[in-house]
């Protein structure tokens, strides 16, 4: 009879938080020609696992006023990609992702989501006044994390998250 070998299994875990400065949680005025910065921040809490980290931007009651060209919106938003580390998820509008290494997840890191709302100088008072009370535009952000191990690309990770 041999000696027994014992394997102890632990549970991997990913914990994230999403915050935004308190000033950004207050109503923001749409003023022609004025850009509005948004600064959500996703934190992967210490002792988490390597993960795919996602941020989804959702528009509610977003005005669809068009520029003279007919293609550009007079009120639009964009999330900084590239140098910021975030990438747009192909074929899924409003979803951005990044990979978080095991080392960064263990340490716990925060990732800024630099978003800019651009308001055209061509936005008219009549267009602004046409936004009815109770239907003001809203831009909300939600963060998601999916384990990195065993999932080779962001699209598969997003699908695994069971997101719409």
């Amino acid at each position: 009879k041999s000696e027994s070998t014992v394997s102890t299994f632990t549970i991997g875990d990913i914990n994230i938080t999403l915050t935004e400065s308190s000033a950004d949680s207050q109503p923001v005025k749409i003023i022609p020609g004025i850009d509005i910065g948004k600064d959500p921040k996703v934190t992967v809490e210490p002792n988490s696992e390597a993960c795919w980290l996602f941020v989804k931007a959702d528009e509610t009651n977003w005005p669809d006023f068009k520029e003279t060209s007919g293609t550009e919106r007079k009120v639009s938003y964009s999330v900084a990609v590239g140098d910021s580390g975030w990438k747009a998820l192909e074929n899924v509008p409003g979803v951005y992702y990044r990979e978080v290494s095991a080392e960064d997840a263990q340490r716990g890191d925060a990732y800024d989501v630099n978003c800019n709302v651009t308001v055209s100088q061509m936005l008219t008072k009549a267009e602004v006044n046409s936004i009815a009370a109770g239907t003001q535009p809203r831009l909300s952000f939600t963060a998601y994390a999916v384990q990195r191990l065993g999932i080779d690309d962001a699209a598969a990770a997003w699908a695994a998250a069971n997101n719409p």
Side-chain angles (χ1 to χ4, degrees):
K1 176 178 174 183
S2 73
E3 293 294 319
S4 297
T5 63
V6 177
S7 297
T8 301
F9 297 89
T10 61
I11 305 287
D13 199 8
I14 304 168
N15 291 297
I16 60 172
T17 57
L18 176 66
T19 57
E20 193 164 4
S21 70
S22 59
D24 286 335
S25 63
Q26 302 301 314
V28 180
K29 294 183 187 222
I30 294 176
I31 300 171
I34 303 296
D35 287 350
I36 305 162
K38 303 291 292 168
D39 65 349
K41 181 181 289 200
V42 184
T43 302
V44 177
E45 299 297 329
N47 302 314
S48 290
E49 301 295 324
C51 62
W52 293 98
L53 189 61
F54 296 92
V55 172
K56 182 178 181 187
D58 283 308
E59 305 172 1
T60 305
N61 301 327
W62 204 254
D64 201 28
F65 309 124
K66 301 286 190 200
E67 292 285 0
T68 309
S69 66
T71 58
E72 303 261 336
R73 287 171 150 184
K74 288 185 179 180
V75 181
S76 62
Y77 74 90
S78 61
V79 171
V81 295
D83 291 341
S84 70
W86 293 99
K87 300 173 186 169
L89 186 60
E90 283 189 41
N91 302 316
V92 188
V95 175
Y96 304 88
Y97 74 95
R98 68 186 311 134
E99 290 183 63
V100 178
S101 71
E103 296 80 21
D104 290 345
Q106 279 294 306
R107 180 179 57 245
D109 268 348
Y111 303 94
D112 292 321
V113 180
N114 297 315
C115 179
N116 190 55
V117 177
T118 302
V119 182
S120 169
Q121 287 184 318
M122 302 310 291
L123 184 67
T124 68
K125 183 174 178 130
E127 288 168 329
V128 171
N129 288 342
S130 72
I131 300 171
T135 62
Q136 289 89 358
R138 295 178 183 264
L139 183 59
S140 60
F141 292 88
T142 308
Y144 303 82
V146 176
Q147 72 180 20
R148 175 72 179 88
L149 188 63
I151 301 179
D152 294 331
D153 64 65
W158 184 247
N162 283 324
N163 292 305

